[in-house]
Amino acid sequence: QVQLIESGGGLVQAGDSLRLSCVFSGRNFFSHVVGWFRQAPGKEREFVAAINWTEGSTYYTDSVKGRFSVFRGNAKNTVHLQMNTLKPEDTAVYYCASRLGGGVSYQQSQYDYWGQGTQVTVSS
């Protein structure tokens, strides 16, 4: 019933920027929290950022603080992840996810719906 679609990934050089988008489908979508996760080849999926829709507060993993920002888009049911000063270690497939619970979680098991992911590759 609910679908999330990420877009905006690509191949960039270190220091460049990308803006990822996550669009939610559904006639009456609602989510307390929207999170971003990433998974590099051969590694576990990790939390990147999240936004609490009720409070508007945002959360980030330490490795992206000061470089990434997550915010609601102007279009309905849209969230963006702005990624600045990209590093090769940011290379991964990025996923957006929706959590129906009321609080922010860093655990992927706490998110209910997931997108297909978008590839971000950062060259040195």
Side-chain angles (χ1 to χ4, degrees):
Q1 189 72 23
V2 177
Q3 292 185 343
L4 291 76
I5 302 177
E6 306 95 336
S7 63
L11 174 62
V12 299
Q13 296 181 353
D16 286 351
S17 299
L18 282 174
R19 178 174 293 182
L20 305 184
S21 299
C22 179
V23 179
F24 322 126
S25 64
R27 294 202 309 162
N28 198 16
F29 178 84
F30 175 80
S31 177
H32 284 95
V33 177
V34 175
W36 286 93
F37 293 77
R38 66 186 181 186
Q39 186 168 18
K43 298 185 180 298
E44 298 293 326
R45 189 174 300 180
E46 65 172 345
F47 173 85
V48 177
I51 181 169
N52 185 305
W53 284 88
T54 303
E55 303 174 353
S57 54
T58 57
Y59 305 85
Y60 304 92
T61 192
D62 287 342
S63 62
V64 307
K65 288 181 179 178
R67 299 188 298 120
F68 290 11
S69 62
V70 60
F71 56 95
R72 290 171 284 191
N74 293 328
K76 187 178 181 180
N77 297 330
T78 303
V79 170
H80 301 287
L81 180 67
Q82 178 68 40
M83 306 185 296
N84 297 326
T85 319
L86 283 162
K87 304 176 180 179
E89 61 215 56
D90 296 318
T91 295
V93 177
Y94 284 72
Y95 302 87
C96 66
S98 173
R99 169 171 162 77
L100 301 180
V104 169
S105 176
Y106 296 168
Q107 301 177 3
Q108 60 179 321
S109 63
Q110 297 297 308
Y111 288 78
D112 302 284
Y113 302 103
W114 291 81
Q116 295 295 309
T118 184
Q119 176 71 50
V120 173
T121 302
V122 185
S123 63
S124 59

